[in-house]
Amino acid sequence: MASTPHNSSAEQPASSLASRLNDLFATVAYVDRGRRREYSTPYVAKAITDDPTHDTTVSRVYLNSLRNGSNTNPTISVLRAVAKFFDEHRQPGAAPITAAYLLGDEDGDDAEERELRTMLANHQVRAIAMRAGSMNPTMLRQVLAVIDALESTSNDPLDDVDRR
């Protein structure tokens, strides 16, 4: 996620929880009457608290203390709830947002894992992967052969031409 956090790098190291959290507030937004708007701290805190899928509660004051760096040790349940909110509101096709991202643990991930997470953000790719997970080895080889065939034809210069 390339963006500029709200707080200056002089205030916080680039890899801090507060910096990553502010980065999410700055980059994960919604459109209101054609204008891009960031989610407010009180809105996110209320949405997390009101989420029926978990029992985590977060006040706006507590969330603000995470954003300004005065609180640097939240529970994993708080991190998961914050990540869940931003993940559910991210742009389609953007890499998933996880508690590991907020902790800075994703820095150790290799490029293949990051690419996999980005690709699995697409619901069609996820649907194919989920169906493939229940196939036997013979079926998997057949599906891979079809994908290979499709990939080799996708380089065809006539792909750009309407072939009715």
Side-chain angles (χ1 to χ4, degrees), residues 2 6 10 28 31 42 45 66 71-72 75 78 82-83 88 99 103 117 126 128 131 134 138 140-141 148-149 154 159:
H6 287 180
V28 177
V31 177
L66 293 174
N71 186 332
T72 59
T75 64
V78 167
V82 170
E88 290 175 348
L103 289 171
R117 274 196 311 278
R126 236 182 2 263
I128 292 168
R131 289 182 69 184
S134 64
T138 302
L140 286 172
R141 282 191 296 278
D148 288 342
S154 71
D159 277 348

Side-chain angles (χ1 to χ4, degrees), residues 65-76:
S65 72
L66 293 174
R67 289 188 72 183
N68 68 27
S70 63
N71 186 332
T72 59
N73 195 21
T75 64
I76 192 66

